[in-house]
Amino acid sequence: MTSKNGQNKRPQLAHLRAVLDDLRERGTYFKLRVLDDEQGPLCHYDGREVINLASNNYLGLCEHPKLVEAAIAATKKYGVGSGAVRTIAGTMRIHMELEEKIAAFKGVEACVVFQSGFTANAGTVSSILGKEDFILSDELNHASIIDGARLSKAKIKVFRHKDVAHCEELLKEVQNEPGRKLVITDGVFSMDGDIGPVAALCDLCDKYGAIMMVDDAHASGVLGRNGRGSVDHFHCTDRVDVQVGTLSKAIGCLGGYVCGSRDLIDYLYHRARPFLFSTSHPPSVAASCMAAFDLLEQEPERMERLWANTKYFQEQLRTAGFDIGGKSTPKTETPITPIILGDGRKTMDYSRALFEKGVMATGIAFPTVAEGKARIRCIMTSEHTRAQIDQALETMTSVAKQMGLV
Ligand code: PMP
């Protein structure tokens, strides 16, 4: 396997080949599936028509005509790029309008938009804390939180998943230390679909004077009034200091945001490194995001369909004998529907077999989830029809039976 220019003969990166060979041996090596058309419930990957159970396009906004029109109109008016980072010359009026719109939607003082949810988390955690401080983080929090925590150089204390008592134990251990304490949880956990104990952690933060932060990437557009997220769902808007959301999942576009006090947002404008050192969104992205927030208010039936589909899909999977959490892993409470198989190779084989039969359901193995907790992760959307769901269920069940998985 030598590339045209002979690069693969060079020894400098040979250690990477060894890792890839190891993945091949374990059966967890993958090739990227390539989407040929739009991110819809029925689409084509690698030329094959499939029912798509793998995307985060919860409300079908990725392909919504109003978002597309908004992007085209903004592109015609303002061009395709912003030309600079926000703090130099790349803050366009449309960026400010989007931030104001999100802040109003969330009922907070202010908002800053980042290039992605990842940079929103990593850039925020790393900039608001320093090495004398403490981060108390749920063991299943997203990688961007973990990376932000590491970059901050604060001391990291990991509490058992959703274990509020354990979090309190850790808070007690450090309460007399001089540094600040930050408690952080995902609003919805991305691999299991369960909801974080936001209200109970707020109680702890109030008791111990800790900063409360929630990553609502998978809760935005899914939980709370018109998709305001888990913080709204738990009526905790005034008790959460830092609310992160993504614009890349239910909102259908790209980006992340942080909501909170005016001071928090001004501080992030001055100190968050992805904000300072990476170019802002093209105007089309900001315009589409604004159209998406309008739709959350105007078309609540999308969320209703999302939840109805979720309920039906999960009931049918349980009836068919699938482990969709609650046994070896947390129980899903949202449209994220893991099918726990445990073994990485088995999971990848099942995913590939489903694809051959017209169902796109991605296998997820170590290091995205812990060793032995490999799973197929399905996500329902508002746009799946009952017929598509039934067809997917039939295929999933028959292939699982053939493979001895149920
Ligand atoms: N937080 C969580 C919980 C996520 O699942 C993700 C997306 N994988 C992110 C943050 C990052 O969001 P984005 O894709 O917008 O970078």
Side-chain angles (χ1 to χ4, degrees):
M1 231 205 273
T2 307
S3 66
K4 257 191 214 153
N5 59 13
Q7 277 191 337
N8 273 350
K9 282 191 190 149
R10 288 167 57 79
Q12 283 85 338
L13 297 177
H15 62 295
L16 306 186
R17 173 69 61 81
V19 173
L20 294 173
D21 286 345
D22 182 52
L23 291 178
R24 284 187 190 96
E25 218 158 273
R26 289 163 185 264
T28 55
Y29 178 88
F30 58 82
K31 283 220 169 75
L32 296 174
R33 296 244 183 255
V34 179
L35 178 61
D36 300 306
D37 36 26
E38 61 185 25
Q39 185 61 271
L42 186 71
C43 57
H44 293 80
Y45 279 90
D46 298 334
R48 182 186 293 278
E49 184 177 87
V50 287
I51 296 167
N52 186 0
L53 298 181
S55 95
N56 299 311
N57 186 18
Y58 288 104
L59 301 175
L61 299 190
C62 284
E63 69 278 19
H64 195 290
K66 285 198 176 155
L67 274 71
V68 175
E69 279 160 25
I72 292 168
T75 303
K76 286 194 171 148
K77 203 162 169 192
Y78 304 117
V80 295
S82 72
V85 303
R86 291 281 302 271
T87 49
I88 295 185
T91 295
M92 303 175 94
R93 187 154 311 283
I94 203 166
H95 294 136
M96 299 309 292
E97 285 167 2
L98 175 60
E99 290 180 346
E100 282 157 24
K101 197 177 198 62
I102 298 172
F105 177 74
K106 289 274 190 171
V108 295
E109 267 179 29
C111 167
V112 49
V113 169
F114 284 80
Q115 299 83 353
S116 69
F118 196 106
T119 54
N121 269 329
T124 300
V125 176
S126 61
S127 67
I128 63 174
L129 297 176
K131 63 177 183 314
E132 64 289 352
D133 299 324
F134 294 89
I135 296 175
L136 294 95
S137 178
D138 188 290
E139 67 181 327
L140 294 188
N141 276 344
H142 190 255
S144 52
I145 294 172
I146 298 169
D147 287 9
R150 289 177 182 156
L151 282 169
S152 75
K153 302 200 175 75
K155 284 156 271 225
I156 303 167
K157 306 260 171 193
V158 175
F159 57 91
R160 288 187 293 274
H161 183 51
K162 288 177 45 168
D163 189 335
V164 178
H166 188 212
C167 181
E168 179 160 23
E169 246 173 66
L170 297 176
L171 270 172
K172 274 189 188 147
E173 274 173 34
V174 300
Q175 66 177 327
N176 295 324
E177 302 279 344
R180 276 170 289 270
K181 288 93 198 176
L182 170 83
V183 172
I184 181 160
T185 183
D186 281 2
V188 171
F189 289 88
S190 57
M191 292 299 142
D192 295 282
D194 52 337
I195 299 174
V198 173
L201 291 175
C202 282
D203 291 343
L204 282 189
C205 288
D206 290 349
K207 186 167 165 191
Y208 292 90
I211 305 162
M212 178 68 192
M213 176 164 171
V214 177
D215 170 12
D216 251 350
H218 282 279
S220 308
V222 174
L223 287 179
R225 288 168 305 139
N226 296 81
R228 283 172 172 77
S230 74
V231 176
D232 182 79
H233 170 80
F234 285 109
H235 311 290
C236 286
T237 299
D238 294 336
R239 306 171 72 205
V240 173
D241 303 288
V242 188
Q243 273 194 63
V244 172
T246 180
L247 301 166
S248 333
K249 302 186 195 295
I251 301 302
C253 307
L254 174 71
Y257 57 87
V258 179
C259 283
S261 67
R262 184 76 259 165
D263 280 351
L264 169 70
I265 303 313
D266 278 346
Y267 178 88
L268 294 174
Y269 279 173
H270 286 83
R271 285 286 181 275
R273 290 169 73 81
F275 188 85
L276 293 170
F277 293 107
S278 182
T279 297
S280 51
H281 281 151
S284 55
V285 171
S288 296
C289 290
M290 289 208 286
F293 282 98
D294 287 340
L295 282 170
L296 291 186
E297 304 275 25
Q298 292 160 2
E299 297 186 5
E301 59 276 12
R302 283 178 185 271
M303 254 178 82
E304 284 161 24
R305 287 203 303 272
L306 169 68
W307 281 97
N309 280 347
T310 296
K311 190 164 174 276
Y312 177 73
F313 183 60
Q314 293 182 352
E315 271 169 12
Q316 297 298 313
L317 283 172
R318 282 204 185 90
T319 307
F322 287 100
D323 174 6
I324 63 166
K327 293 180 194 161
S328 56
T329 61
K331 185 166 179 249
T332 179
E333 299 168 276
T334 67
I336 296 173
T337 310
I339 294 178
I340 313 293
L341 297 169
D343 180 65
R345 180 190 301 274
K346 227 195 269 176
T347 299
M348 293 311 188
D349 286 349
Y350 183 46
S351 173
R352 276 188 284 267
L354 288 177
F355 185 75
E356 299 295 316
K357 301 270 186 218
V359 174
M360 172 79 173
T362 313
I364 297 179
F366 181 80
T368 309
V369 293
E371 203 74 84
K373 299 265 164 91
R375 73 221 31 215
I376 301 285
R377 188 180 65 154
C378 306
I379 297 188
M380 266 294 107
T381 77
S382 59
E383 302 315 284
H384 287 97
T385 63
R386 188 53 66 87
Q388 287 164 349
I389 299 173
D390 283 338
Q391 196 183 324
L393 284 163
E394 199 184 300
T395 305
M396 291 165 84
T397 309
S398 66
V399 175
K401 277 187 184 149
Q402 274 164 25
M403 293 177 69
L405 301 175
V406 285

